[in-house]
Amino acid sequence: CGDPAGIGPEIIVSALKQHNWPQHEVVIYGDYRVFAPDAALPHGTVVYNVRPDLPLPPVGQPSQAGGMLALAALDAAIDDALSGKIHAI
């Protein structure tokens, strides 16, 4: 999901709400805690919580935890793409 302290989560939610993805399961790699509780992600959207052991990064501030979370999300997505679990990143 990019930098969890940035605008990435907002952009993801907005894009998912604007487009209909009925034939596809959408997987978000990141931390479910960065999404607003009322974000109402569309049905079929899965948030893969890549590093639940990390503290929640502060919103709007770059941090080591945010960088580690972004890297872990990218690594997990790459691993799943290379293994064939997902079809695109």
Side-chain angles (χ1 to χ4, degrees), residues 10-89:
E10 293 173 34
I11 299 295
I12 290 169
V13 171
S14 177
L16 289 174
K17 287 182 178 180
Q18 290 179 22
H19 299 283
N20 189 8
W21 305 88
Q23 341 49 348
H24 306 285
E25 176 182 73
V26 176
V27 180
I28 300 170
Y29 290 82
D31 189 321
Y32 65 85
R33 298 174 298 172
V34 303
F35 295 95
D38 61 344
L41 294 170
H43 179 73
T45 303
V46 176
V47 179
Y48 177 59
N49 203 22
V50 295
R51 288 290 306 270
D53 58 312
L54 290 175
L56 185 62
V59 176
Q61 296 177 10
S63 67
Q64 182 177 5
M68 291 173 64
L69 181 58
L71 180 59
L74 186 57
D75 284 342
I78 290 169
D79 288 346
D80 283 356
L82 289 173
S83 71
K85 290 181 184 176
I86 61 173
H87 299 288
I89 296 178

